[in-house]
Amino acid sequence: MLAIVVTGVGPASAMELAAAPDVAAPATWWLADVMSYVTAPFLLEGALIAIKIATLAMMAGAILGLGLALMRISSFAPLRAIAWLYIWFVRGTPQLLQLVFLFDALPPLGIKLDAFTTAVVGFALNEAAFSAEIIRGGILSVNRNQTIAAAALGMGPFLTLRRIILPQAMRALLPGIANDTIAVIKGTSIASVIFVNELTFRSQQVVGQNFEFFKVFTAAGIIYLAMTSVVAGVQALLERRFNLDIESGEKSDSALHRLLGFRFREAKRKPALPTAQPTAQVASVAVVSPPKPAWITNIAGVMGAGNGADREPFVVCRNIHKAYGYREVLRGIDLTVNRGEVVVIMGPSGSGKSTLLRLVNHLERLDWGEIKVNGEYVGYEKVAHTLKPKSNLARARAEARIGMVFQNFNLFDHLTAIENVIEAPIRVYGQDAKKARELGMNLLANVGLGYHANNLPHRLSGGQQQRVAIARALAISPRLMLFDEPTSALDPELVGEVLAVIRRLAEQGMTMMVVTHEVRFAREVADRVIFIDEGEIIEEGTPHEVLGFPKHDRTQRFLRFVERQTDVA
């Protein structure tokens, strides 16, 4: 009986097995048989079909998943609900049932697809639900301040997503996407239920003929392992590519980056200037004003600074109100900033200073009142005596040319210093890349960072990062500069280098609104000091009047507190 069963199986000689049924074949024979199946064209063709299904399904699923992820984080409730219902249903039902349903339910509806196309559609729709949650998690892992910084530069939502958010989210996305890809490759085996002639289905066909179950499916397992190992290898390479802790010189641009339209680093980095010069020496260069630097020439045409009493109103705020829920942050602010004037805004934490700056460049929406910059509304249009937000807010911000520097720098972590500076000029304003880079290098040199142009933000000190942020804001040729507590996140010894750059801007006649607690800086640079408390302007006047002889009790208490903090520091 034993001889009859074995005569029909596999590559081994049936005559030899029948003649010596008590002697096991050598291990090398067994491995040779398995490898003969591994290299068999019939099974390899099935593996190729599995790869095609997985590749097409992952591509379509990732695109659909990105759309679902954006719907899930949308501010429009119906979109969020639709995306959630889809993800809930698809993740909660077996994929086998989904494939069978598509295969059996579509033809009666007049939609006739072959088995291969049905498998691709089924896997893609299933993968979309899982990819959506992976992508959503990656997007949410990126600091929201990155989006705010991009918006302040005039970058639109989709440009921000492509250039800023997704590149930074990749480290969080890669493990999940790679796991899903491997799961889809292995999961193609269930496509055999709708008669897709892939690897597992073909293995079953072979076993049905020769009954070499263990050998054939061992070979199929090896082929699956080889396919998934390739995915694991690509994952490792991409994780290395997106690892900010690895020096940029150790990496090279990938086809994926070129396909998506972004790069983390240039392929070959060279120092912009000789690196032998000490950092301290570089810092001293920042204080020396070269004759007519290129960046000053570039923005001189839009600054239009005036002098003294002849300065015309440039920023006009009337009856500004802003609340978050039941908390009223600003209560009827009236403020005018003249062209070329430096206005320092001071006040305790939570008094509404930062909110006022964000309202000026429409990073926050007004509840009531109006703000004009250079005679125009930023991101609003008047319809029947009512201000309505414009549909293309990013373009409105770009046209206003308002540069903003944040308390926590908000540099784009995946871009070098020079790439941070030239991102908006190239992507938003369409400036020639070569000219933008020349201006960017000039800006970095003039803030004392020419030797650090190719460093990532996390390789720079706090003071250096803030000076890069100032250079980035200046690169868009701003008409107005907003500084939101630019030194509060810095160590005391780094404050001076940032304030020195702001002083230079004041000397050049840049119109500026500066939120700061630096009393000495305000005395030296400000044309006017505004003191805000509990959402209202309590006192305003020249630095001599407000800081030297404050009239209001709240101003006096605040200045005494700041002086004590300075003495302690």
Side-chain angles (χ1 to χ4, degrees), residues 515-545:
V515 171
T516 184
H517 291 164
E518 296 291 333
V519 176
R520 180 179 175 183
F521 170 78
R523 283 196 177 102
E524 294 176 1
V525 176
D527 296 303
R528 195 151 41 101
V529 174
I530 309 290
F531 181 78
I532 295 181
D533 192 15
E534 296 182 358
E536 298 177 334
I537 294 180
I538 304 301
E539 195 166 351
E540 67 175 302
T542 65
H544 177 74
E545 293 169 346

PDB file of all heavy atoms in Angstrom, residues 515-545:
ATOM      1  N   VAL A 515       6.190  91.450  20.486  1.00  0.00           N
ATOM      2  CA  VAL A 515       5.740  91.056  21.815  1.00  0.00           C
ATOM      3  C   VAL A 515       6.960  90.571  22.578  1.00  0.00           C
ATOM      4  O   VAL A 515       7.632  89.621  22.162  1.00  0.00           O
ATOM      5  CB  VAL A 515       4.678  89.937  21.736  1.00  0.00           C
ATOM      6  CG1 VAL A 515       4.383  89.387  23.132  1.00  0.00           C
ATOM      7  CG2 VAL A 515       3.401  90.455  21.098  1.00  0.00           C
ATOM      8  N   THR A 516       7.277  91.223  23.685  1.00  0.00           N
ATOM      9  CA  THR A 516       8.469  90.855  24.449  1.00  0.00           C
ATOM     10  C   THR A 516       8.357  91.332  25.890  1.00  0.00           C
ATOM     11  O   THR A 516       7.563  92.228  26.203  1.00  0.00           O
ATOM     12  CB  THR A 516       9.735  91.455  23.801  1.00  0.00           C
ATOM     13  OG1 THR A 516      10.894  91.005  24.507  1.00  0.00           O
ATOM     14  CG2 THR A 516       9.704  92.973  23.832  1.00  0.00           C
ATOM     15  N   HIS A 517       9.157  90.711  26.738  1.00  0.00           N
ATOM     16  CA  HIS A 517       9.292  91.154  28.128  1.00  0.00           C
ATOM     17  C   HIS A 517      10.644  91.815  28.364  1.00  0.00           C
ATOM     18  O   HIS A 517      10.979  92.142  29.505  1.00  0.00           O
ATOM     19  CB  HIS A 517       9.137  89.965  29.091  1.00  0.00           C
ATOM     20  CG  HIS A 517       7.747  89.416  29.129  1.00  0.00           C
ATOM     21  ND1 HIS A 517       7.441  88.181  29.665  1.00  0.00           N
ATOM     22  CD2 HIS A 517       6.571  89.929  28.700  1.00  0.00           C
ATOM     23  CE1 HIS A 517       6.146  87.961  29.561  1.00  0.00           C
ATOM     24  NE2 HIS A 517       5.601  89.008  28.980  1.00  0.00           N
ATOM     25  N   GLU A 518      11.408  91.990  27.292  1.00  0.00           N
ATOM     26  CA  GLU A 518      12.747  92.575  27.410  1.00  0.00           C
ATOM     27  C   GLU A 518      12.631  94.099  27.538  1.00  0.00           C
ATOM     28  O   GLU A 518      12.529  94.822  26.538  1.00  0.00           O
ATOM     29  CB  GLU A 518      13.598  92.201  26.200  1.00  0.00           C
ATOM     30  CG  GLU A 518      13.877  90.720  26.056  1.00  0.00           C
ATOM     31  CD  GLU A 518      14.795  90.214  27.156  1.00  0.00           C
ATOM     32  OE1 GLU A 518      15.599  91.021  27.683  1.00  0.00           O
ATOM     33  OE2 GLU A 518      14.704  89.018  27.487  1.00  0.00           O
ATOM     34  N   VAL A 519      12.651  94.599  28.771  1.00  0.00           N
ATOM     35  CA  VAL A 519      12.452  96.026  29.034  1.00  0.00           C
ATOM     36  C   VAL A 519      13.592  96.856  28.444  1.00  0.00           C
ATOM     37  O   VAL A 519      13.356  97.907  27.820  1.00  0.00           O
ATOM     38  CB  VAL A 519      12.337  96.287  30.547  1.00  0.00           C
ATOM     39  CG1 VAL A 519      12.236  97.790  30.833  1.00  0.00           C
ATOM     40  CG2 VAL A 519      11.127  95.560  31.117  1.00  0.00           C
ATOM     41  N   ARG A 520      14.802  96.379  28.593  1.00  0.00           N
ATOM     42  CA  ARG A 520      15.947  97.140  28.089  1.00  0.00           C
ATOM     43  C   ARG A 520      15.881  97.262  26.572  1.00  0.00           C
ATOM     44  O   ARG A 520      16.136  98.340  26.012  1.00  0.00           O
ATOM     45  CB  ARG A 520      17.239  96.449  28.514  1.00  0.00           C
ATOM     46  CG  ARG A 520      18.488  97.168  28.040  1.00  0.00           C
ATOM     47  CD  ARG A 520      19.745  96.467  28.511  1.00  0.00           C
ATOM     48  NE  ARG A 520      20.940  97.078  27.961  1.00  0.00           N
ATOM     49  CZ  ARG A 520      22.178  96.633  28.153  1.00  0.00           C
ATOM     50  NH1 ARG A 520      22.366  95.549  28.909  1.00  0.00           N
ATOM     51  NH2 ARG A 520      23.205  97.248  27.614  1.00  0.00           N
ATOM     52  N   PHE A 521      15.543  96.160  25.910  1.00  0.00           N
ATOM     53  CA  PHE A 521      15.418  96.175  24.455  1.00  0.00           C
ATOM     54  C   PHE A 521      14.331  97.161  24.034  1.00  0.00           C
ATOM     55  O   PHE A 521      14.493  97.929  23.078  1.00  0.00           O
ATOM     56  CB  PHE A 521      15.085  94.764  23.955  1.00  0.00           C
ATOM     57  CG  PHE A 521      14.702  94.704  22.515  1.00  0.00           C
ATOM     58  CD1 PHE A 521      15.655  94.762  21.522  1.00  0.00           C
ATOM     59  CD2 PHE A 521      13.366  94.606  22.132  1.00  0.00           C
ATOM     60  CE1 PHE A 521      15.310  94.702  20.182  1.00  0.00           C
ATOM     61  CE2 PHE A 521      13.004  94.548  20.803  1.00  0.00           C
ATOM     62  CZ  PHE A 521      13.981  94.601  19.827  1.00  0.00           C
ATOM     63  N   ALA A 522      13.203  97.162  24.736  1.00  0.00           N
ATOM     64  CA  ALA A 522      12.110  98.074  24.407  1.00  0.00           C
ATOM     65  C   ALA A 522      12.543  99.528  24.547  1.00  0.00           C
ATOM     66  O   ALA A 522      12.179 100.382  23.729  1.00  0.00           O
ATOM     67  CB  ALA A 522      10.913  97.797  25.314  1.00  0.00           C
ATOM     68  N   ARG A 523      13.314  99.807  25.573  1.00  0.00           N
ATOM     69  CA  ARG A 523      13.801 101.189  25.773  1.00  0.00           C
ATOM     70  C   ARG A 523      14.692 101.622  24.604  1.00  0.00           C
ATOM     71  O   ARG A 523      14.625 102.764  24.154  1.00  0.00           O
ATOM     72  CB  ARG A 523      14.594 101.279  27.080  1.00  0.00           C
ATOM     73  CG  ARG A 523      13.736 101.313  28.336  1.00  0.00           C
ATOM     74  CD  ARG A 523      14.568 101.795  29.519  1.00  0.00           C
ATOM     75  NE  ARG A 523      13.761 101.913  30.723  1.00  0.00           N
ATOM     76  CZ  ARG A 523      13.760 101.021  31.718  1.00  0.00           C
ATOM     77  NH1 ARG A 523      14.543  99.953  31.623  1.00  0.00           N
ATOM     78  NH2 ARG A 523      12.992 101.186  32.774  1.00  0.00           N
ATOM     79  N   GLU A 524      15.516 100.693  24.119  1.00  0.00           N
ATOM     80  CA  GLU A 524      16.497 101.053  23.089  1.00  0.00           C
ATOM     81  C   GLU A 524      15.896 101.121  21.690  1.00  0.00           C
ATOM     82  O   GLU A 524      16.291 101.960  20.881  1.00  0.00           O
ATOM     83  CB  GLU A 524      17.640 100.029  23.095  1.00  0.00           C
ATOM     84  CG  GLU A 524      18.480 100.028  24.357  1.00  0.00           C
ATOM     85  CD  GLU A 524      19.526  98.928  24.336  1.00  0.00           C
ATOM     86  OE1 GLU A 524      19.588  98.195  23.323  1.00  0.00           O
ATOM     87  OE2 GLU A 524      20.277  98.794  25.316  1.00  0.00           O
ATOM     88  N   VAL A 525      14.943 100.261  21.392  1.00  0.00           N
ATOM     89  CA  VAL A 525      14.516 100.068  20.005  1.00  0.00           C
ATOM     90  C   VAL A 525      13.122 100.608  19.725  1.00  0.00           C
ATOM     91  O   VAL A 525      12.855 101.129  18.642  1.00  0.00           O
ATOM     92  CB  VAL A 525      14.588  98.563  19.641  1.00  0.00           C
ATOM     93  CG1 VAL A 525      14.063  98.319  18.234  1.00  0.00           C
ATOM     94  CG2 VAL A 525      16.009  98.045  19.785  1.00  0.00           C
ATOM     95  N   ALA A 526      12.203 100.506  20.696  1.00  0.00           N
ATOM     96  CA  ALA A 526      10.796 100.807  20.423  1.00  0.00           C
ATOM     97  C   ALA A 526      10.558 102.291  20.180  1.00  0.00           C
ATOM     98  O   ALA A 526      11.158 103.156  20.834  1.00  0.00           O
ATOM     99  CB  ALA A 526       9.928 100.332  21.587  1.00  0.00           C
ATOM    100  N   ASP A 527       9.676 102.570  19.222  1.00  0.00           N
ATOM    101  CA  ASP A 527       9.149 103.929  19.072  1.00  0.00           C
ATOM    102  C   ASP A 527       7.979 104.143  20.022  1.00  0.00           C
ATOM    103  O   ASP A 527       7.737 105.258  20.480  1.00  0.00           O
ATOM    104  CB  ASP A 527       8.665 104.150  17.632  1.00  0.00           C
ATOM    105  CG  ASP A 527       9.802 104.066  16.632  1.00  0.00           C
ATOM    106  OD1 ASP A 527      10.767 104.833  16.786  1.00  0.00           O
ATOM    107  OD2 ASP A 527       9.735 103.229  15.719  1.00  0.00           O
ATOM    108  N   ARG A 528       7.265 103.047  20.286  1.00  0.00           N
ATOM    109  CA  ARG A 528       6.101 103.131  21.154  1.00  0.00           C
ATOM    110  C   ARG A 528       5.947 101.816  21.906  1.00  0.00           C
ATOM    111  O   ARG A 528       6.260 100.747  21.381  1.00  0.00           O
ATOM    112  CB  ARG A 528       4.847 103.403  20.307  1.00  0.00           C
ATOM    113  CG  ARG A 528       3.633 103.866  21.079  1.00  0.00           C
ATOM    114  CD  ARG A 528       2.735 104.758  20.195  1.00  0.00           C
ATOM    115  NE  ARG A 528       2.600 104.274  18.839  1.00  0.00           N
ATOM    116  CZ  ARG A 528       1.527 103.593  18.389  1.00  0.00           C
ATOM    117  NH1 ARG A 528       0.515 103.338  19.194  1.00  0.00           N
ATOM    118  NH2 ARG A 528       1.473 103.205  17.134  1.00  0.00           N
ATOM    119  N   VAL A 529       5.480 101.892  23.142  1.00  0.00           N
ATOM    120  CA  VAL A 529       5.240 100.706  23.966  1.00  0.00           C
ATOM    121  C   VAL A 529       3.760 100.649  24.309  1.00  0.00           C
ATOM    122  O   VAL A 529       3.167 101.648  24.730  1.00  0.00           O
ATOM    123  CB  VAL A 529       6.080 100.733  25.266  1.00  0.00           C
ATOM    124  CG1 VAL A 529       5.707  99.553  26.168  1.00  0.00           C
ATOM    125  CG2 VAL A 529       7.567 100.707  24.943  1.00  0.00           C
ATOM    126  N   ILE A 530       3.182  99.455  24.092  1.00  0.00           N
ATOM    127  CA  ILE A 530       1.775  99.208  24.419  1.00  0.00           C
ATOM    128  C   ILE A 530       1.738  98.205  25.564  1.00  0.00           C
ATOM    129  O   ILE A 530       2.379  97.149  25.484  1.00  0.00           O
ATOM    130  CB  ILE A 530       1.004  98.620  23.217  1.00  0.00           C
ATOM    131  CG1 ILE A 530       1.228  99.459  21.961  1.00  0.00           C
ATOM    132  CG2 ILE A 530      -0.474  98.448  23.528  1.00  0.00           C
ATOM    133  CD1 ILE A 530       0.584 100.800  21.992  1.00  0.00           C
ATOM    134  N   PHE A 531       0.990  98.519  26.630  1.00  0.00           N
ATOM    135  CA  PHE A 531       0.825  97.572  27.724  1.00  0.00           C
ATOM    136  C   PHE A 531      -0.606  97.039  27.706  1.00  0.00           C
ATOM    137  O   PHE A 531      -1.579  97.802  27.782  1.00  0.00           O
ATOM    138  CB  PHE A 531       1.122  98.224  29.078  1.00  0.00           C
ATOM    139  CG  PHE A 531       0.986  97.261  30.232  1.00  0.00           C
ATOM    140  CD1 PHE A 531       1.980  96.340  30.498  1.00  0.00           C
ATOM    141  CD2 PHE A 531      -0.146  97.274  31.040  1.00  0.00           C
ATOM    142  CE1 PHE A 531       1.847  95.437  31.547  1.00  0.00           C
ATOM    143  CE2 PHE A 531      -0.285  96.391  32.083  1.00  0.00           C
ATOM    144  CZ  PHE A 531       0.715  95.463  32.351  1.00  0.00           C
ATOM    145  N   ILE A 532      -0.730  95.703  27.564  1.00  0.00           N
ATOM    146  CA  ILE A 532      -2.038  95.041  27.500  1.00  0.00           C
ATOM    147  C   ILE A 532      -2.213  94.162  28.724  1.00  0.00           C
ATOM    148  O   ILE A 532      -1.295  93.452  29.142  1.00  0.00           O
ATOM    149  CB  ILE A 532      -2.158  94.182  26.221  1.00  0.00           C
ATOM    150  CG1 ILE A 532      -2.134  95.061  24.972  1.00  0.00           C
ATOM    151  CG2 ILE A 532      -3.431  93.353  26.236  1.00  0.00           C
ATOM    152  CD1 ILE A 532      -2.270  94.289  23.672  1.00  0.00           C
ATOM    153  N   ASP A 533      -3.411  94.192  29.295  1.00  0.00           N
ATOM    154  CA  ASP A 533      -3.745  93.314  30.409  1.00  0.00           C
ATOM    155  C   ASP A 533      -5.226  92.955  30.313  1.00  0.00           C
ATOM    156  O   ASP A 533      -6.074  93.823  30.054  1.00  0.00           O
ATOM    157  CB  ASP A 533      -3.439  93.988  31.743  1.00  0.00           C
ATOM    158  CG  ASP A 533      -3.491  92.998  32.913  1.00  0.00           C
ATOM    159  OD1 ASP A 533      -3.473  91.780  32.650  1.00  0.00           O
ATOM    160  OD2 ASP A 533      -3.555  93.444  34.063  1.00  0.00           O
ATOM    161  N   GLU A 534      -5.509  91.650  30.467  1.00  0.00           N
ATOM    162  CA  GLU A 534      -6.881  91.137  30.414  1.00  0.00           C
ATOM    163  C   GLU A 534      -7.608  91.582  29.141  1.00  0.00           C
ATOM    164  O   GLU A 534      -8.784  91.941  29.157  1.00  0.00           O
ATOM    165  CB  GLU A 534      -7.664  91.569  31.658  1.00  0.00           C
ATOM    166  CG  GLU A 534      -7.094  90.982  32.945  1.00  0.00           C
ATOM    167  CD  GLU A 534      -7.903  91.370  34.168  1.00  0.00           C
ATOM    168  OE1 GLU A 534      -8.886  92.137  34.007  1.00  0.00           O
ATOM    169  OE2 GLU A 534      -7.572  90.904  35.267  1.00  0.00           O
ATOM    170  N   GLY A 535      -6.867  91.546  28.030  1.00  0.00           N
ATOM    171  CA  GLY A 535      -7.481  91.805  26.741  1.00  0.00           C
ATOM    172  C   GLY A 535      -7.737  93.254  26.421  1.00  0.00           C
ATOM    173  O   GLY A 535      -8.421  93.561  25.434  1.00  0.00           O
ATOM    174  N   GLU A 536      -7.193  94.196  27.203  1.00  0.00           N
ATOM    175  CA  GLU A 536      -7.416  95.619  26.967  1.00  0.00           C
ATOM    176  C   GLU A 536      -6.087  96.364  26.994  1.00  0.00           C
ATOM    177  O   GLU A 536      -5.156  95.976  27.703  1.00  0.00           O
ATOM    178  CB  GLU A 536      -8.339  96.218  28.031  1.00  0.00           C
ATOM    179  CG  GLU A 536      -9.734  95.607  28.050  1.00  0.00           C
ATOM    180  CD  GLU A 536     -10.592  96.174  29.175  1.00  0.00           C
ATOM    181  OE1 GLU A 536     -10.000  96.630  30.199  1.00  0.00           O
ATOM    182  OE2 GLU A 536     -11.819  96.196  29.052  1.00  0.00           O
ATOM    183  N   ILE A 537      -6.004  97.447  26.221  1.00  0.00           N
ATOM    184  CA  ILE A 537      -4.820  98.307  26.266  1.00  0.00           C
ATOM    185  C   ILE A 537      -4.939  99.194  27.505  1.00  0.00           C
ATOM    186  O   ILE A 537      -5.841 100.028  27.609  1.00  0.00           O
ATOM    187  CB  ILE A 537      -4.697  99.157  24.995  1.00  0.00           C
ATOM    188  CG1 ILE A 537      -4.421  98.255  23.785  1.00  0.00           C
ATOM    189  CG2 ILE A 537      -3.578 100.191  25.145  1.00  0.00           C
ATOM    190  CD1 ILE A 537      -4.293  98.996  22.479  1.00  0.00           C
ATOM    191  N   ILE A 538      -4.030  98.990  28.422  1.00  0.00           N
ATOM    192  CA  ILE A 538      -4.064  99.734  29.684  1.00  0.00           C
ATOM    193  C   ILE A 538      -3.297 101.037  29.568  1.00  0.00           C
ATOM    194  O   ILE A 538      -3.705 102.070  30.125  1.00  0.00           O
ATOM    195  CB  ILE A 538      -3.464  98.874  30.828  1.00  0.00           C
ATOM    196  CG1 ILE A 538      -4.210  97.545  30.939  1.00  0.00           C
ATOM    197  CG2 ILE A 538      -3.498  99.628  32.146  1.00  0.00           C
ATOM    198  CD1 ILE A 538      -5.682  97.681  31.214  1.00  0.00           C
ATOM    199  N   GLU A 539      -2.207 100.986  28.820  1.00  0.00           N
ATOM    200  CA  GLU A 539      -1.348 102.174  28.754  1.00  0.00           C
ATOM    201  C   GLU A 539      -0.512 102.109  27.483  1.00  0.00           C
ATOM    202  O   GLU A 539      -0.106 101.035  27.044  1.00  0.00           O
ATOM    203  CB  GLU A 539      -0.439 102.208  29.989  1.00  0.00           C
ATOM    204  CG  GLU A 539       0.240 103.530  30.239  1.00  0.00           C
ATOM    205  CD  GLU A 539       0.840 103.613  31.645  1.00  0.00           C
ATOM    206  OE1 GLU A 539       0.575 102.715  32.473  1.00  0.00           O
ATOM    207  OE2 GLU A 539       1.568 104.588  31.896  1.00  0.00           O
ATOM    208  N   GLU A 540      -0.252 103.238  26.862  1.00  0.00           N
ATOM    209  CA  GLU A 540       0.632 103.296  25.711  1.00  0.00           C
ATOM    210  C   GLU A 540       1.311 104.652  25.652  1.00  0.00           C
ATOM    211  O   GLU A 540       0.810 105.647  26.169  1.00  0.00           O
ATOM    212  CB  GLU A 540      -0.135 103.023  24.420  1.00  0.00           C
ATOM    213  CG  GLU A 540      -1.150 104.076  24.016  1.00  0.00           C
ATOM    214  CD  GLU A 540      -1.761 103.755  22.664  1.00  0.00           C
ATOM    215  OE1 GLU A 540      -0.994 103.647  21.681  1.00  0.00           O
ATOM    216  OE2 GLU A 540      -2.998 103.602  22.587  1.00  0.00           O
ATOM    217  N   GLY A 541       2.476 104.645  25.027  1.00  0.00           N
ATOM    218  CA  GLY A 541       3.245 105.877  24.905  1.00  0.00           C
ATOM    219  C   GLY A 541       4.665 105.557  24.509  1.00  0.00           C
ATOM    220  O   GLY A 541       4.986 104.439  24.088  1.00  0.00           O
ATOM    221  N   THR A 542       5.545 106.532  24.622  1.00  0.00           N
ATOM    222  CA  THR A 542       6.954 106.297  24.306  1.00  0.00           C
ATOM    223  C   THR A 542       7.563 105.397  25.378  1.00  0.00           C
ATOM    224  O   THR A 542       7.019 105.280  26.487  1.00  0.00           O
ATOM    225  CB  THR A 542       7.723 107.620  24.268  1.00  0.00           C
ATOM    226  OG1 THR A 542       7.720 108.199  25.584  1.00  0.00           O
ATOM    227  CG2 THR A 542       7.092 108.594  23.273  1.00  0.00           C
ATOM    228  N   PRO A 543       8.689 104.747  25.082  1.00  0.00           N
ATOM    229  CA  PRO A 543       9.348 103.929  26.098  1.00  0.00           C
ATOM    230  C   PRO A 543       9.647 104.726  27.369  1.00  0.00           C
ATOM    231  O   PRO A 543       9.518 104.194  28.478  1.00  0.00           O
ATOM    232  CB  PRO A 543      10.637 103.473  25.401  1.00  0.00           C
ATOM    233  CG  PRO A 543      10.318 103.508  23.948  1.00  0.00           C
ATOM    234  CD  PRO A 543       9.382 104.654  23.767  1.00  0.00           C
ATOM    235  N   HIS A 544      10.027 105.988  27.197  1.00  0.00           N
ATOM    236  CA  HIS A 544      10.327 106.815  28.358  1.00  0.00           C
ATOM    237  C   HIS A 544       9.094 106.985  29.240  1.00  0.00           C
ATOM    238  O   HIS A 544       9.184 106.907  30.478  1.00  0.00           O
ATOM    239  CB  HIS A 544      10.853 108.179  27.896  1.00  0.00           C
ATOM    240  CG  HIS A 544      11.127 109.120  29.028  1.00  0.00           C
ATOM    241  ND1 HIS A 544      12.210 108.973  29.865  1.00  0.00           N
ATOM    242  CD2 HIS A 544      10.440 110.237  29.450  1.00  0.00           C
ATOM    243  CE1 HIS A 544      12.190 109.941  30.759  1.00  0.00           C
ATOM    244  NE2 HIS A 544      11.125 110.725  30.532  1.00  0.00           N
ATOM    245  N   GLU A 545       7.937 107.168  28.611  1.00  0.00           N
ATOM    246  CA  GLU A 545       6.704 107.403  29.376  1.00  0.00           C
ATOM    247  C   GLU A 545       6.203 106.123  30.044  1.00  0.00           C
ATOM    248  O   GLU A 545       5.915 106.117  31.243  1.00  0.00           O
ATOM    249  CB  GLU A 545       5.619 107.946  28.441  1.00  0.00           C
ATOM    250  CG  GLU A 545       5.910 109.342  27.902  1.00  0.00           C
ATOM    251  CD  GLU A 545       4.966 109.732  26.786  1.00  0.00           C
ATOM    252  OE1 GLU A 545       4.263 108.845  26.242  1.00  0.00           O
ATOM    253  OE2 GLU A 545       4.949 110.926  26.422  1.00  0.00           O
TER     254      GLU A 545
END
